[in-house]
Amino acid sequence: MTSSTPLLVRALKKSPWVFHVGTSGCNNCDIEIADCLTPRFDVERFGIKLVGSPRHADVMLITGPVSQACREPLQQAWLEMPRPRAAVMIGACACSMGAYKDAYSVAGPPDKVLLEVDPDAKYIYVPGCPPKPETIVMGVVKLLGAL
Amino acid sequence: MDANDLVGRMTEAYGDDVACVARSHKRVYASLAPEHLLAVFDWLMEEVPGLRFGTSTCMDLREGIGVFHHLPVNGTPLVITLKVVAPKPDPRVPSLTPRVPAAGWIEREMADMVGVVFEGHPEPYRLVKAESFPDTFPLRRDFDVARFKEDIGEQPDF
Amino acid sequence: MSSPTSSPAPTERRVVQIGPFHPLLEEPVGFSLGVEGETVVDVDARMDYIHKGIEILAQQRTYDMLPILLERICGICSVTHSVCFCNAAEDLLQVEIPPRASYIRTIIAELERVHSHLLWVGLAGHFIGYNTVFMWAWKYREPVCDVFEMLTGHRQNSALPMVGGVRRDIPEKYFDEARKTLDMVDGKVQMLTDAVLDDPVLAARLKGVGVLTPEEVMAWGVVGPTARASGVDTDVRRDEPYAAYAELDWDVCTTPNGDVFDKAVVRLLELKESIKILRQCFDNMPSGDLNLGTLHMPRGEGIGRYEAPRGEDIHYLRSNGTNMPERLKVRAPSYTNIASFKASCIGEKISDVTITLAACDPCYSCTERAAVVRGDGDQPERTFGDLVRLSQAETRRLASEMGRLPDLQLK
């Protein structure tokens, strides 16, 4: 975050574009993220928009523990994001591995995987299995407040 | 088709080659040697209308690698399980994929997980293990998660 | 649709990568399509992005913990896997669960089917460029999740099923509220069904696309709505009644053609049946015990079957007499349905592939639950978005040719 100017951060807070990465979760959190876009929660009214490429995104939403196969794609997607950038770890698995702590094919929780390539990575945790859409929206809002 | 009826007909057709038992009115378990598998499967496909390939279970047993094919019958509660045990140093089972393509993926998965060789499989590549995966079989009893993570260079605890 | 002969000259064969990350696929999955010109000639799936090794984790959990773990196989089929495991354990034990428990299981199973099918209708609408349908279907999915939360305390993961019954009761004081929600959803499903059946653009876009013949269904072991759309009459709820389905009045829906249009129609009709089942459950809820108490699991083996929203789920359970299973095999319905892409996608136009892939409601978490693995370093390309755009453009082209608005007219 050191390389970003205050102006960029302010611009990001007005309308954060988010990119969603499911890293081998059970897809429950992923569905709740998609739920945030639909009429009841409709995060687009706050300017939060789900985009299809990490190059367009300001905030990355990460769900699930990172499997061995997903590790490099996740790191690559993170490095493609322009600064200032931040991540939201959504769900128990992304926060602490949850039920999959002992699984042999899991490389680690996403925060550890991100820190491997970017020691300055900024992120927050939204626990829950899965967190309700309200909680996810609140998590993103709190992240923006903390930037 | 009734389970007891099927057991009677299978015993009549194959005698001692197939040890067939009806655990309840909806579950039939038949143990057989790998060399009889294809013949018995063909016979079942012909005799039992609505039979389809459900899935297979692989297991590391004391006497060898067990491959259990579960065959549900559409329209009835019946599930027929064909149990084959392949002796261990070099477990080999004939592949059902040339007969029923539904068996393709699960046989590749079983080959990945316990190391059974399916003879005659048209696509004998890995399905669930990437090429760089070490040549171990996660469902074998001697598989140790901690040692595996050490081998591939993971921190054991984070 | 298009045959290889209709493309101009024999073109070079290329490979299109789909995945692993895409905002609407939700889950990482890798497909490689071999294409010649516009026509798909080969399809292959890469199955290692989601592997967590649940079958091995299951061997380290007690029977009481297992339904909770198995709910986490898949978010949208959470009731599916926990009840299917209970069916397997009850087949091993040869016990019958108390009537109130079987009604509670039926209620949570059907609520899950309703919200899962609504989710599919929405996604299918998005893939062909009908974003209004996406928004509407997901809007009416929310009240169903609310009912689930009122009854069980959670929007998807109820943690109710246990071997020999259910863990907790569901409060009957919310049944009236639930009935009201069902009436509302019933009306909206009727509206969606009418809109889909009446829309000429949808018929032109989806009829004859991604056809599975009954022979292919049997050969590939296809299950659930995908099989019923091809006229194969199979439904575990009727074939091997678990929970309370044997006592309730409902029908198995089948359609004859096996194309994407019929797969949508089957799901919409099933929504109506599920709502009918739920109404009967709320009206005839028996009283009595919730579970059989603590059970000792003897040595033996059992097979559980369950009709998930996507088709037949099979669990094979083998016990060695201890409090943890010796082996638990999980076969989710998408496992066979996704494999059948080889039959349904080849020969299609590339703009039809997205909706054909989506038509069996693929659920990758379920499918890839057991394996493993180490990234092999290939660079994933993110072109699935391009495919969705291609698919939506095809719908817009058809709509403008027919002089209609490029979206479904909902009344």
Side-chain angles (χ1 to χ4, degrees):
Chain A
M1 205 63 61
T2 46
S3 66
S4 57
T5 65
L7 181 68
L8 278 175
V9 173
R10 232 181 95 208
L12 184 155
K13 282 183 184 176
K14 288 287 178 197
S15 172
W17 284 16
V18 298
F19 175 66
H20 163 227
V21 180
T23 53
S24 93
C26 73
N27 89 15
N28 214 339
C29 301
D30 314 62
I31 289 164
E32 297 295 54
I33 289 175
D35 240 10
C36 295
L37 298 174
T38 54
R40 178 178 289 182
F41 302 102
D42 194 15
V43 291
E44 290 192 2
R45 70 204 149 114
F46 304 124
I48 302 176
K49 190 167 181 291
L50 192 68
V51 291
S53 164
R55 292 180 196 279
H56 301 159
D58 307 304
V59 176
M60 184 183 265
L61 308 177
I62 306 175
T63 60
V66 184
S67 66
Q68 302 281 4
C70 277
R71 175 196 195 137
E72 280 166 35
L74 172 66
Q75 291 176 340
Q76 195 195 347
W78 175 255
L79 292 177
E80 281 174 10
M81 274 172 67
R83 290 160 193 261
R85 59 194 175 197
V88 187
M89 312 292 172
I90 292 171
C93 302
C95 295
S96 67
M97 308 272 283
Y100 305 109
K101 189 178 178 306
D102 304 324
Y104 58 108
S105 65
V106 175
D111 49 358
K112 174 179 167 262
V113 173
L114 288 191
L115 288 177
E116 280 175 11
V117 289
D118 181 8
D120 294 335
K122 294 268 190 296
Y123 47 82
I124 60 155
Y125 302 101
V126 180
C129 187
K132 295 175 75 171
E134 298 95 306
T135 324
I136 296 175
V137 177
M138 198 175 101
V140 175
V141 170
K142 280 199 167 173
L143 172 79
L144 297 178
L147 280 179
Chain B
M1 180 179 287
D2 185 42
N4 290 315
D5 184 31
L6 178 74
V7 170
R9 280 167 60 191
M10 253 176 122
T11 319
E12 195 183 309
Y14 288 95
D16 292 341
D17 288 346
V18 178
C20 198
V21 56
R23 208 62 60 77
S24 65
H25 72 284
K26 49 191 186 182
R27 299 285 183 263
V28 172
Y29 295 87
S31 301
L32 55 155
E35 58 265 28
H36 299 304
L37 177 66
L38 291 182
V40 172
F41 183 75
D42 287 344
W43 182 84
L44 280 172
M45 288 297 266
E46 219 160 85
E47 294 289 311
V48 186
L51 186 88
R52 78 185 141 81
F53 186 87
T55 190
S56 312
T57 307
C58 54
M59 250 191 100
D60 191 357
L61 299 164
R62 196 177 299 270
E63 59 270 28
I65 300 293
V67 173
F68 310 155
H69 294 296
H70 309 294
L71 314 170
V73 183
N74 276 354
T76 74
L78 195 61
V79 181
I80 304 162
T81 302
L82 297 180
K83 293 176 150 188
V84 175
V85 177
K88 220 178 232 166
D90 180 26
R92 286 175 177 276
V93 176
S95 169
L96 295 182
T97 312
R99 285 165 168 74
V100 40
W105 272 17
I106 186 70
E107 286 186 346
R108 282 165 69 187
E109 183 186 322
M110 287 192 287
D112 284 358
M113 298 301 273
V114 292
V116 196
V117 176
F118 285 94
E119 291 173 322
H121 196 293
E123 298 175 316
Y125 335 116
R126 289 181 170 189
L127 175 75
V128 295
K129 296 200 296 194
E131 288 306 317
S132 57
F133 190 81
D135 218 9
T136 54
F137 302 111
L139 272 173
R140 289 271 181 114
R141 284 183 194 243
D142 52 8
F143 180 80
D144 181 6
V145 178
R147 211 175 53 217
F148 171 77
K149 288 215 164 188
E150 219 169 84
D151 285 351
I152 62 172
E154 285 300 311
Q155 307 292 324
D157 192 31
F158 26 73
Chain C
M1 290 295 280
S2 83
S3 64
T5 48
S6 70
S7 56
T11 34
E12 192 190 345
R13 181 165 172 173
R14 292 170 184 274
V15 174
V16 178
Q17 284 284 343
I18 303 183
F21 295 138
H22 174 258
L24 271 152
L25 256 190
E26 285 159 3
E27 299 159 79
V29 68
F31 280 105
S32 322
L33 300 177
V35 292
E36 281 172 11
E38 282 277 286
T39 308
V40 178
V41 292
D42 192 15
V43 54
D44 196 15
R46 186 174 157 193
M47 303 286 299
D48 55 354
Y49 288 108
I50 308 199
H51 276 315
K52 298 178 291 270
I54 281 208
E55 287 181 9
I56 292 181
L57 285 182
Q59 295 171 10
Q60 304 156 3
R61 299 286 194 278
T62 63
Y63 289 105
D64 217 30
M65 295 152 82
L66 265 169
I68 313 272
L69 174 73
L70 296 177
E71 278 185 347
R72 269 79 184 166
I73 287 181
C74 168
I76 198 83
C77 332
S78 50
V79 180
T80 298
H81 289 289
S82 51
V83 173
C84 189
F85 161 74
C86 294
N87 284 347
E90 283 145 18
D91 179 50
L92 192 159
L93 289 159
Q94 296 288 326
V95 292
E96 291 283 327
I97 61 171
R100 191 174 174 89
S102 55
Y103 269 76
I104 291 177
R105 281 188 188 179
T106 313
I107 288 175
I108 55 175
E110 291 306 316
L111 280 173
E112 178 181 88
R113 196 180 317 276
V114 172
H115 81 65
S116 174
H117 279 357
L118 280 173
L119 179 140
W120 179 85
V121 170
L123 282 186
H126 169 78
F127 282 140
I128 55 171
Y130 279 15
N131 276 322
T132 316
V133 178
F134 174 53
M135 291 296 169
W136 282 53
W138 282 56
K139 181 178 170 190
Y140 298 120
R141 181 177 168 267
E142 282 302 313
V144 182
C145 290
D146 287 349
V147 171
F148 205 94
E149 189 175 0
M150 274 191 278
L151 297 179
T152 69
H154 197 287
R155 283 161 58 91
Q156 283 99 10
N157 296 341
S158 62
L160 280 179
M162 66 180 274
V163 177
V166 291
R167 237 172 265 273
R168 303 184 307 273
D169 204 354
I170 58 176
E172 292 194 20
K173 63 180 173 184
Y174 294 126
F175 281 7
D176 279 336
E177 185 67 31
R179 282 194 196 97
K180 266 186 229 156
T181 308
L182 285 181
D183 290 343
M184 188 276 289
V185 174
D186 198 9
K188 301 302 175 187
V189 169
Q190 188 60 48
M191 175 198 77
L192 274 173
T193 316
D194 292 344
V196 166
L197 291 177
D198 286 350
D199 192 68
V201 180
L202 267 190
R205 179 76 179 83
L206 300 180
K207 279 196 173 163
V209 171
V211 178
L212 273 179
T213 63
E215 293 75 35
E216 282 168 344
V217 166
M218 293 306 282
W220 288 92
V222 175
V223 289
T226 320
R228 290 196 282 277
S230 300
V232 177
D233 191 9
T234 163
D235 193 322
V236 181
R237 290 176 289 172
R238 181 204 56 203
D239 296 348
E240 187 189 333
Y242 54 92
Y245 289 109
E247 301 160 30
L248 303 169
D249 171 37
W250 58 282
D251 295 314
V252 178
C253 312
T254 57
T255 51
N257 299 321
D259 50 16
V260 177
F261 188 80
D262 275 17
K263 286 169 195 166
V265 171
V266 161
R267 287 202 173 84
L268 288 165
L269 294 177
E270 266 181 22
L271 274 171
K272 304 279 282 183
E273 291 300 317
S274 291
I275 292 169
K276 196 163 113 189
I277 295 174
L278 279 168
R279 285 206 183 106
Q280 293 174 47
C281 287
F282 289 139
D283 291 344
N284 308 324
M285 190 79 181
S287 55
D289 287 342
L290 292 173
N291 54 53
L292 301 170
T294 311
L295 299 164
H296 172 249
M297 194 69 72
R299 285 172 70 97
E301 56 194 344
I303 297 173
R305 290 163 83 203
Y306 178 100
E307 185 73 19
R310 288 152 187 78
E312 175 204 45
D313 186 22
I314 304 181
H315 283 214
Y316 171 82
L317 172 69
R318 184 159 163 139
S319 156
N320 53 7
T322 61
N323 63 348
M324 297 182 196
E326 193 178 11
R327 178 84 170 90
L328 179 68
K329 168 72 195 166
V330 178
R331 200 296 310 267
S334 297
Y335 197 88
T336 56
N337 289 352
I338 293 177
S340 75
F341 289 166
K342 274 210 161 175
S344 57
C345 279
I346 291 177
E348 296 290 336
K349 271 195 296 183
I350 197 162
S351 54
D352 291 337
V353 164
T354 358
I355 187 64
T356 308
L357 294 184
C360 82
D361 201 358
C363 178
Y364 304 107
S365 296
C366 288
T367 310
E368 304 179 13
R369 84 249 84 78
V372 187
V373 190
R374 194 110 169 105
D376 56 7
D378 66 340
Q379 303 293 308
E381 298 168 35
R382 295 177 193 81
T383 54
F384 190 73
D386 301 337
L387 278 189
V388 173
R389 277 191 287 281
L390 260 179
S391 171
Q392 297 180 346
E394 173 78 8
T395 313
R396 277 199 297 278
R397 186 184 64 77
L398 275 169
S400 64
E401 274 175 17
M402 300 165 108
R404 292 182 65 96
L405 289 173
D407 208 332
L408 203 53
Q409 302 299 298
L410 296 167
K411 294 167 200 92

